[in-house]
Amino acid sequence: MPNLIQKLSRGATLRQLEILAVVYRLGSIKAASEALHLTQPTVSMQLKKLGDASGMPLYQIMGRKLVFTDSGREIALSATRIFGELSALDMRLSEFRGLRAGALRLSVVTTSKYFIPHMLGPFCERYPGIDIQLNVGNRQQIIDRLEAGDEDFYVFSHPPENIDTVSTRFLVNPLVVIAPESHPLAGERSVSLVQLAREPFLMREPGSGTRYAIEQFLHRHDLRLNVKMTIQSNEAIKHAVMSGLGVSILSAHTLTFGGNAGLVELQVEKMPITTSWHMVWPKSKTLSPIADRFLQYVHNEGRRLIEGEFKRVGFETREL
């Protein structure tokens, strides 16, 4: 009786295994078809062929939800590992080609999207043959992607503590108080925390790294803010502040690279809140030659580039 390897080698293809891995990661045929630029019937047909080749059903449709069988889950996880090894092999070979080919995959939290592209620009010029894949999401979405482990690096201001990872700090992340230019406190040389607490405050949503840092700061200083509105977007917060709806605390990167017209930084005591940006990757993952080269670049030229822009617009950075 043929074993599973013999069955798959006779009827399965790498493309079918790739489709299965993507469906498993994204959780639905629709999402996988969009990611792979295939039609849903094509994805379903390829999965059926793979199931026939393995001799076991891969998934069931329960209600409107796709549920993997135990055998389908094991094949999908194995397929994910296979493509991870193939990607690592391609990266290792690219080292022999002088980093003229390959891919660098990044998943970053939303606030870091303001400066990460500025770091990527010179790196891409130096290695034009490298394919850059950049995914942006909120903190929880990036944690989910970190648990899947598909990318080379994940950028956080506050890395998750319950996942076995390697984390390296590469840039400071000052959080500053912003207000509209016409605000009564805009001309003050020193604003107390008590004064700040009286102001209508616009807060980032629960789970965001910025909110996490603010809540830690409030706890340390036994302070409560007058939160009037919770907003999920840095850009929406900036426009709400400009409209006079309140003051807020945002990363200085949001203002340096995202624009600060109509806004001023209030000189609040014990501010800014200084956190750090971290490059994070699973401890079990070996960095590819391209990823290793990018990490070196980030800690040297990339960091100096961002700090230079900071100083140009008036923000000072501290050594890590």
Side-chain angles (χ1 to χ4, degrees):
M1 182 175 180
N3 59 30
L4 179 60
I5 294 176
Q6 291 171 326
K7 290 179 181 178
L8 291 175
S9 64
R10 292 174 184 172
T13 65
L14 279 175
R15 181 59 167 167
Q16 290 167 357
L17 290 172
E18 179 188 18
I19 290 172
L20 177 68
V22 174
V23 170
Y24 182 78
R25 175 166 60 85
L26 299 180
S28 77
I29 289 175
K30 179 181 178 182
S33 67
E34 293 173 352
L36 294 166
H37 304 291
L38 297 172
T39 65
Q40 293 185 49
T42 298
V43 171
S44 298
M45 180 183 65
Q46 293 301 319
L47 292 182
K48 182 179 184 306
K49 289 182 178 179
L50 180 59
D52 292 343
S54 69
M56 293 172 283
L58 303 178
Y59 63 89
Q60 299 174 343
I61 301 297
M62 302 181 66
R64 300 182 65 181
K65 186 176 181 181
L66 184 149
V67 179
F68 272 79
T69 62
D70 290 341
S71 56
R73 185 180 302 107
E74 287 302 316
I75 295 174
L77 291 172
S78 294
T80 299
R81 289 192 291 269
I82 288 170
F83 283 99
E85 286 297 319
L86 289 175
S87 177
L89 173 61
D90 181 58
M91 293 295 183
R92 290 192 294 271
L93 293 177
S94 71
E95 178 75 2
F96 295 110
R97 298 191 294 267
L99 297 182
R100 291 193 296 269
L104 177 68
R105 301 173 180 86
L106 305 171
S107 276
V108 307
V109 294
T110 50
T111 299
S112 66
K113 72 180 181 180
Y114 290 98
F115 68 87
I116 286 292
H118 292 270
M119 280 188 163
L120 286 172
F123 187 78
C124 291
E125 289 181 5
R126 186 174 304 175
Y127 304 106
I130 293 176
D131 177 32
I132 304 292
Q133 299 176 19
L134 178 62
N135 178 74
V136 180
N138 62 36
R139 186 170 186 271
Q140 187 56 55
Q141 289 171 329
I142 303 306
I143 289 175
D144 292 343
R145 296 188 74 90
L146 172 59
E147 289 179 326
D150 293 331
E151 284 85 19
D152 296 296
F153 294 115
Y154 305 80
V155 175
F156 293 95
S157 59
H158 296 84
E161 298 177 353
N162 59 343
I163 304 176
D164 199 12
T165 63
V166 179
S167 175
T168 175
R169 295 185 300 163
F170 67 95
L171 192 67
V172 293
N173 179 33
L175 304 182
V176 299
V177 182
I178 60 171
E181 291 178 335
S182 58
H183 196 280
L185 297 176
E188 297 290 329
R189 297 183 64 180
S190 179
V191 177
S192 70
L193 291 177
V194 173
Q195 287 175 293
L196 175 65
R198 296 194 192 108
E199 295 296 318
F201 192 84
L202 310 178
M203 181 70 88
R204 280 293 304 267
E205 80 282 5
S208 79
T210 299
R211 177 163 179 154
Y212 179 80
I214 294 172
E215 289 176 341
Q216 284 189 321
F217 177 83
L218 297 176
H219 178 73
R220 286 197 302 271
H221 296 284
D222 192 26
L223 185 70
R224 293 187 65 180
L225 294 176
N226 180 24
V227 178
K228 291 298 185 181
M229 191 179 302
T230 299
I231 304 178
Q232 295 186 2
S233 160
N234 289 323
E235 291 304 306
I237 284 180
K238 288 198 295 183
H239 284 284
V241 171
M242 284 187 280
S243 298
L245 294 177
V247 301
S248 190
I249 297 176
L250 291 181
S251 168
H253 292 98
T254 303
L255 308 174
T256 303
F257 298 100
N260 58 7
L263 299 171
V264 294
E265 176 189 353
L266 296 185
Q267 302 303 310
V268 179
E269 63 178 351
K270 304 185 187 300
M271 296 291 287
I273 304 171
T274 303
T275 62
S276 299
W277 289 110
H278 298 76
M279 284 282 179
V280 179
W281 63 95
K283 197 169 185 179
S284 59
K285 191 174 185 121
T286 301
L287 293 183
S288 69
I290 290 174
D292 186 64
R293 188 72 58 87
F294 180 69
L295 188 62
Q296 295 177 39
Y297 163 82
V298 163
H299 277 291
N300 293 285
E301 300 101 306
R303 176 181 168 183
R304 289 196 295 269
L305 174 71
I306 302 304
E307 289 181 345
E309 190 64 18
F310 249 41
K311 292 176 181 178
R312 187 186 69 79
V313 299
F315 291 111
E316 292 295 329
T317 58
R318 301 177 185 175
E319 291 296 321
L320 293 176

